Amino acid sequence: MTSNRILGSLRSADGKGIVRMEDRLDTDIDDVWSAFTDPLRLARWLGEFEGDLRLGGEFRARFFASGWEGTGRVEACEPPRHLLVTTKGLDEPEDHAIEVTLAADGDQTILVLEVRGMPLDHLAAYGSGIQVHVEDLAAHLGGREHCDAAVRWDELLPAYQDLAAEVS
């Protein structure tokens, strides 16, 4: 049975879309940090990365669930709490910012992931896709397999379309 829980919220700033995800993960902050910064772990839940994932480093990536491909740069890296990267997809005219903020809460971790810079007319699709990535992270951390991304994206899209209708 698939959860209908929506992790995200949508908004805009300066004519660009912003997707914000919040979730509580059942593992400690160091484990979550490693899942975001270790290329071998990233390859288990998000995609393939080549290059330098340290502060100032540049990389090339391909995300499994969404098929996104592009390049990026690590703009901020403050282990184990804050990571900021800018990315540019192969078919995207502008950069996106992906910001990860982690907070320890006992033996759990609160994740806030915000992606900024999307076109407003694609905001619902981005919201669905980003939630699939966050759910794949939670599955990885819990020792489970990732979902069927296309099926899950379709399940999430109507809720994100409703949210996007409220964004101007």
Side-chain angles (χ1 to χ4, degrees), residues 136-155:
D136 283 348
L137 168 64
H140 164 69
L141 293 169
R144 300 180 309 276
E145 290 295 316
H146 56 81
C147 68
D148 180 322
V151 169
R152 185 64 178 139
W153 187 88
D154 286 341
E155 291 171 350

Side-chain angles (χ1 to χ4, degrees), residues 30-55 57-64 74 77 83 137 140:
D30 292 319
D31 190 32
V32 179
W33 181 259
S34 172
F36 273 103
T37 58
D38 178 339
L40 294 175
R41 291 198 64 197
L42 281 164
R44 291 187 204 126
W45 71 271
L46 183 59
E48 299 168 343
F49 284 77
E50 296 176 0
D52 187 356
L53 295 176
R54 293 175 295 174
L55 182 60
E58 296 184 354
F59 60 88
R60 179 177 249 329
R62 183 178 67 82
F63 295 175
F64 300 135
V74 179
C77 184
L83 180 66
L137 168 64
H140 164 69

Side-chain angles (χ1 to χ4, degrees), residues 33 36-37 52-59 72-87 96-102 116:
W33 181 259
F36 273 103
T37 58
D52 187 356
L53 295 176
R54 293 175 295 174
L55 182 60
E58 296 184 354
F59 60 88
R73 178 179 166 82
V74 179
E75 304 291 346
C77 184
E78 301 160 21
R81 302 196 181 284
H82 182 244
L83 180 66
L84 174 65
V85 299
T86 53
T87 62
H96 295 169
I98 302 171
E99 188 166 20
V100 176
T101 305
L102 304 175
R116 300 181 293 272

Side-chain angles (χ1 to χ4, degrees), residues 57-128:
E58 296 184 354
F59 60 88
R60 179 177 249 329
R62 183 178 67 82
F63 295 175
F64 300 135
S66 63
W68 179 89
E69 285 188 62
T71 59
R73 178 179 166 82
V74 179
E75 304 291 346
C77 184
E78 301 160 21
R81 302 196 181 284
H82 182 244
L83 180 66
L84 174 65
V85 299
T86 53
T87 62
K88 182 164 179 69
L90 297 179
D91 299 327
E92 296 170 349
E94 297 185 33
D95 290 353
H96 295 169
I98 302 171
E99 188 166 20
V100 176
T101 305
L102 304 175
D105 187 17
D107 59 354
Q108 295 181 321
T109 303
I110 298 169
L111 163 71
V112 175
L113 184 141
E114 190 168 278
V115 183
R116 300 181 293 272
M118 286 83 59
L120 290 175
D121 59 337
H122 292 110
L123 196 52
Y126 275 99
S128 298

